[in-house]
Structure formats: C-alpha cells, structure tokens
C-alpha cells in the first residue's frame, strides 16, 4: 500500500511540558509501521541552540547521536528505539538552525534584497524542512517541541497551520496531547486546562482533530463526552493515555483505544490492522520477567537519569530478550572514592562504567574497574569507560604510575589516551582537532565501521561478524604507542577502525570489554544491541554461579 503523496500527522503539547509527546508520536508511528506503511518522524524544537550538542545533560537530558553524526534531541532516541529505523539530521531541527539558514541565504542575496520576516521567510524554511523530511514516506509524524502558548513556538505552529492549507485536509491532521489533572481534594478530574489549551490553538488557526489525554486515572465516559463537545473533537478522537508500567506498553494501549480508526478516516489510509504480537511478548517480559540480575552503573550524572536515557533503555531491551529484569544499581563514582569499591559493588553481577566528560569522579570509576578486573566480575566500559580501563591497567598492571589521559592533563608524560591531530569524519572529510578547537566541531561523531578480531569476545558478542558499525561521540583516542605493552600483559585490542583502537578486552577474564563507541545508540526494543545483550547475559551467568 503506497501513497504517492506524504501524509502528515502534527503532534503538539498543551498545559505543561514532559507529558510524553515523543512517546505518543513514536507509539503512533510504531502502529502505522506494523500495518506496513513507510513511516518517519521529525522533531522540531523551538529553542535557539543550533543543536543540543553543547547543552548540559543536566538541563536537557542526553544528546542522542544519529548514524550520520547529528547531535539531536533525546526524543530521536525514542523514535529509533520504537521504530527500529536509523534517522538522520533531517529528522531534528531547532529555531537556531532555521534562523542560521535564513540569515546565510540573506547574506548570499538569495532573497534579492527583500525584508526578512518571520512570515514568510522563517515559516517557509520550517515548512520546507518538514516537506524534506517527509520525502519518500507514506506518513511523516511531526512533533512540535515545547507547549502551546510558548512565545518561541509560534512560528512552528504557523508553519503547520499553513502546511495543512497547502496540502489539504485529507493529507494532514493535528493531534494535541494534553493533561487531565486529578484534584485530590475535590476528588475530580478537571478538563478546564485542556479546554484553554485547545482555545489557544484555535486562536492561531489550528483546530485539533484528536486529543490524547494524559491522566493518572481512567477517564469516565461523561468526561470524554464533555471534552469532545467543548473542544469540537469527534467522540472517537478522545484517546486516553493513562500512566503505563513501561513506555513500550503505550502503542498497545493506543491500539486498545482504536487510535488508528479515526487516523485512517481523516487521512484516508484504508483499513489499518497492525500486527503487534512480537511487541506484546516483549512488553510482557519487561513487566513480569522470569529472572533478576543487578548491574552496578557507575557514573557521575546520577541525579538526572535522563542523561543516560539510551543506556538505561538498552538494558530494558536486553532484559526483554533474556526474560530478565536488569536492575541498575546507581553508584556515584565520587562515593567509591570515599568508601571503596568493595563496599558499594559487592552485591552486583556486572559493572558498567559509562561515558562522560571531565575529570570529576574519575578516580572512583577506576576503582570500580579494578574491582571488576581483579574479582572477575563481568565488565562493560563505554567510551570514557574504555579509556579509564586502559589507564587503570597501565597504572596497576604495567606499573606506569603517571599513566593518564590528555583530557585530564594536557602535558602528561604518559598519554595512554591522547588527542589525535586529524581523522576522517563520517562524510569522508579530513578533520583537524587541537586543544583549542571549539567543543562542538571536534568530536568523532556518528557511525564508523569497526573490524573485529577473530575469536575475540567482541566478535562472539556480535554473532561472529567481522565488521560492525557503531556510533561515536568523543574527542580523545587510545594511544597506539602503548599497544604492544598492553597486549603482552593480557589486554588485547579486539576492535579497530582505520588504525584507531575501538575495543579492548582482557585475556583470562570471563567477560571484560571496553568499547570506544556508544553501543546504546543502536539498541531497539525489537533488536537489542549485541554488546549490551552479551554483557547482560554474562551478568546472568555470573549471578547463577554466585547465587
């Protein structure tokens, strides 16, 4: 079933932020994909940063990296995890990017000297990016970031209002995600915030075709009728979205609410019957798994779990496939410096040292690595985690006492981790980086091929593939000058990318792997990442043998 013209579903949010627009958009996309339609998603963010790459993870959660090296909003991670598709930089843009493009065009003289204004120039740029992202798709779902009523969101709302006029009513629909709060004292669910939010949308020329209502409690029939009447929405277009035990249950809840019936009716998509059997099985295993295993998650941004979103989700995916609950025991690396690794990691079945930037908490992370290495506990080091595993080994096994990373000491006499002057980026361009280079432009970003060493733990984890592709987000590299000393002492290089060290492992250890890439970025519910799956499997075996 192929449609010659792309159809659009615009998702907006009202009342307050963090209601889960991204999850709602990804869930609708999943249902449509499982019908057999070609679906993609776009996130349009009204903030002025050009991309989220330089934003603090404490404020904005993690930065998600696409295969083609774009640093994007973490919602793109949800889209990929639900859809099991690689998205690109076309699938996320910000106000900052829109304005930079328009200003560049104006400087080049593309507008022939006319006065540049929000309407039409900014709005047209937003529209053209939406149309570009939808090319070749049956349906494009567009999530507009922020909340209706935000001043910075107005050009985006004007763009989707105008785009529907361009393509016609049968090719575009508006879904508004809103909150129905429960007032405990009155014992009532309240519709007024939703009514105001819809009025605000209508004021700017958008009448929602469907309301998705977030609520702590089920919505009574009378309340749905009241909403339909007061907001001018068909009764079967009021979709209930109660809190779910896992986000992966949301597509199944939407299916029960028959969300596809009105969508099909409005966009004339014919009969839509998604096959969600495999998804249903995996969700049941997430909710009620057979086994339990505990991973010690050693990091420094532990107050904000959103900073590690892809990683925490990847353990859910691995657990669903192993029919086990992967409990993450969050261990602050600075606490390990104070109390020691034995006290804090004694009860875990595996140790994970995640990525991160900067020197804070590094000593604690190395103590955790030493604990896993000496006690033969399964270990996975990601990005900085791999680099610290090499420094720990150099200091404690090779006896290079001043072994360090140039990230922490630019003048270290023993740079186990260093800054290479140049490398080839994902588009085949040569990049130069120095200590003075601006942070945003000097990272190795996106997917790179990695050659795996025969019979290595890495190759076995990846089903004996000789070449794998994983995504990166880092500046510093492992220094090959020390490679012979490492390998002689039992730490072997098991993955390489154009001469750069991508993976290390320990001989004589049941499961010890450090990877320079971020395996979590390619993990999906229906296809968990192989390195993380292998690590969880090793932790389960460790748990079984250690009771």
């Amino acid at each position: 079933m192929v449609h010659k013209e792309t159809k659009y579903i615009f998702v907006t949010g009202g009342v307050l932020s963090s209601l889960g627009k991204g999850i709602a958009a990804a869930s609708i996309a999943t249902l449509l994909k499982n019908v057999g339609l070609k679906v993609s998603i776009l996130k349009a963010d009204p903030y002025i940063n050009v991309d989220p790459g330089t934003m603090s993870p404490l404020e904005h959660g993690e930065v998600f990296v696409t295969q083609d090296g774009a640093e994007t909003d973490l919602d793109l991670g949800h889209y990929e995890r639900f859809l099991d598709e690689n998205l690109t930089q076309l699938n996320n843009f910000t106000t900052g990017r829109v304005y930079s493009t328009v200003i560049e065009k104006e400087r080049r003289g593309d507008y022939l000297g006319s006065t540049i204004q929000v309407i039409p120039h900014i709005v047209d740029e937003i529209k053209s990016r939406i149309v570009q992202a939808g090319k070749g798709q049956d349906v494009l779902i567009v999530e507009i970031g922020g909340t209706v009523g935000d001043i910075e969101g107005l050009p985006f709302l004007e763009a989707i209002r105008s785009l529907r006029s361009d393509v016609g009513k049968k090719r575009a629909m508006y879904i508004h995600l809103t909150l129905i709060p429960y007032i405990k004292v009155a014992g009532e669910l309240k519709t007024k915030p939703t009514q105001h939010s819809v009025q605000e949308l209508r004021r700017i020329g958008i009448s929602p075709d469907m309301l998705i209502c977030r609520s702590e409690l089920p919505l009574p029939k009378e309340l749905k009728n009241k909403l339909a009447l007061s907001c001018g929405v068909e009764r079967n277009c009021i979709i209930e979205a109660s809190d779910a035990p896992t986000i992966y249950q949301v597509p199944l809840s939407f299916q029960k609410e028959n969300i596809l019936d009105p969508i099909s009716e409005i966009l004339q998509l014919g009969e839509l019957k998604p096959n969600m059997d495999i998804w249903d099985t995996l969700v049941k295993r997430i909710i009620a798994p057979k086994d339990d295993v505990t991973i010690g998650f050693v990091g420094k941004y532990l107050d904000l779990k959103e900073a590690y979103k892809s990683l925490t989700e990847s353990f859910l995916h691995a657990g669903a496939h192993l029919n086990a609950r992967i409990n993450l025991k969050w261990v602050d690396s600075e606490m390990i410096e104070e109390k020691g690794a034995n006290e804090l990691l004694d009860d875990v079945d595996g140790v994970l040292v995640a990525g991160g930037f900067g020197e804070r908490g590094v000593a604690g992370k190395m103590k955790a690595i030493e604990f896993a290495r000496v006690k033969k506990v399964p270990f996975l080091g990601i990005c900085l985690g791999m680099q610290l595993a090499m420094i720990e080994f150099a200091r404690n096994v090779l006896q290079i006492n001043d072994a360090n990373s140039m990230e922490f000491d630019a003048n270290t006499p023993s740079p186990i981790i260093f800054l290479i002057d140049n490398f080839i980026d994902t588009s085949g361009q040569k990049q130069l980086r120095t200590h003075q280079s601006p942070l945003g432009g000097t990272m190795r970003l996106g997917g790179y091929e990695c050659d795996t060493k025969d019979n290595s733990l890495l190759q076995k984890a990846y089903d004996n593939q000789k070449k794998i592709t994983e995504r990166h987000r880092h500046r510093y590299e492992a220094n090959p000058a020390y490679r012979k000393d490492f390998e002689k002492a039992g730490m072997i290089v098991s993955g390489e990318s154009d001469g750069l060290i991508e993976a290390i492992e320990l001989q004589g250890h049941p499961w010890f792997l450090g990877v320079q890439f971020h395996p979590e970025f390619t993990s999906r519910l229906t296809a968990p990442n192989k390195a993380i799956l292998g690590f969880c499997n090793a932790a389960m075996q460790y748990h079984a043998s250690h009771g």
Side-chain angles (χ1 to χ4, degrees), residues 45 165 170 397 402 475 484:
D45 267 313
S165 297
K170 292 169 187 171
V397 179
D402 55 3
R475 298 181 82 202
K484 279 193 179 131

mmCIF file of all heavy atoms in Angstrom, residues 45 165 170 397 402 475 484:
data_model
loop_
_atom_site.group_PDB
_atom_site.id
_atom_site.type_symbol
_atom_site.label_atom_id
_atom_site.label_comp_id
_atom_site.label_asym_id
_atom_site.label_seq_id
_atom_site.Cartn_x
_atom_site.Cartn_y
_atom_site.Cartn_z
ATOM 1 N N ASP A 45 12.278 21.581 17.264
ATOM 2 C CA ASP A 45 12.493 22.147 18.598
ATOM 3 C C ASP A 45 12.569 23.666 18.570
ATOM 4 O O ASP A 45 13.429 24.221 17.897
ATOM 5 C CB ASP A 45 13.806 21.603 19.180
ATOM 6 C CG ASP A 45 13.555 20.365 20.010
ATOM 7 O OD1 ASP A 45 12.623 20.395 20.826
ATOM 8 O OD2 ASP A 45 14.273 19.367 19.849
ATOM 9 N N SER A 165 -2.965 23.923 4.922
ATOM 10 C CA SER A 165 -3.665 24.641 3.846
ATOM 11 C C SER A 165 -3.069 24.271 2.495
ATOM 12 O O SER A 165 -3.781 24.118 1.506
ATOM 13 C CB SER A 165 -3.529 26.154 4.030
ATOM 14 O OG SER A 165 -4.137 26.532 5.227
ATOM 15 N N LYS A 170 -7.138 16.161 3.644
ATOM 16 C CA LYS A 170 -7.013 14.693 3.600
ATOM 17 C C LYS A 170 -5.558 14.237 3.741
ATOM 18 O O LYS A 170 -5.271 13.060 3.781
ATOM 19 C CB LYS A 170 -7.594 14.160 2.286
ATOM 20 C CG LYS A 170 -9.091 14.334 2.205
ATOM 21 C CD LYS A 170 -9.627 14.058 0.837
ATOM 22 C CE LYS A 170 -11.128 14.420 0.766
ATOM 23 N NZ LYS A 170 -11.627 14.355 -0.595
ATOM 24 N N VAL A 397 48.869 -2.623 36.397
ATOM 25 C CA VAL A 397 49.470 -3.858 35.864
ATOM 26 C C VAL A 397 50.807 -3.557 35.188
ATOM 27 O O VAL A 397 51.820 -4.196 35.462
ATOM 28 C CB VAL A 397 48.508 -4.567 34.875
ATOM 29 C CG1 VAL A 397 49.156 -5.826 34.307
ATOM 30 C CG2 VAL A 397 47.191 -4.915 35.563
ATOM 31 N N ASP A 402 52.367 7.246 36.214
ATOM 32 C CA ASP A 402 51.827 8.538 35.781
ATOM 33 C C ASP A 402 50.953 8.423 34.522
ATOM 34 O O ASP A 402 50.703 9.406 33.843
ATOM 35 C CB ASP A 402 52.950 9.556 35.568
ATOM 36 C CG ASP A 402 54.010 9.044 34.587
ATOM 37 O OD1 ASP A 402 53.831 7.923 34.043
ATOM 38 O OD2 ASP A 402 55.009 9.759 34.359
ATOM 39 N N ARG A 475 36.148 12.969 21.772
ATOM 40 C CA ARG A 475 37.265 13.729 21.188
ATOM 41 C C ARG A 475 38.575 12.952 21.290
ATOM 42 O O ARG A 475 39.421 13.056 20.417
ATOM 43 C CB ARG A 475 37.461 15.048 21.944
ATOM 44 C CG ARG A 475 36.310 16.000 21.897
ATOM 45 C CD ARG A 475 36.650 17.281 22.657
ATOM 46 N NE ARG A 475 37.431 18.200 21.839
ATOM 47 C CZ ARG A 475 38.204 19.157 22.341
ATOM 48 N NH1 ARG A 475 38.318 19.306 23.635
ATOM 49 N NH2 ARG A 475 38.864 19.960 21.544
ATOM 50 N N LYS A 484 51.627 -2.607 22.215
ATOM 51 C CA LYS A 484 52.425 -3.845 22.414
ATOM 52 C C LYS A 484 52.531 -4.191 23.892
ATOM 53 O O LYS A 484 52.399 -5.348 24.282
ATOM 54 C CB LYS A 484 53.823 -3.674 21.809
ATOM 55 C CG LYS A 484 53.849 -3.901 20.298
ATOM 56 C CD LYS A 484 55.265 -4.030 19.780
ATOM 57 C CE LYS A 484 55.228 -4.290 18.277
ATOM 58 N NZ LYS A 484 56.121 -3.406 17.543
#
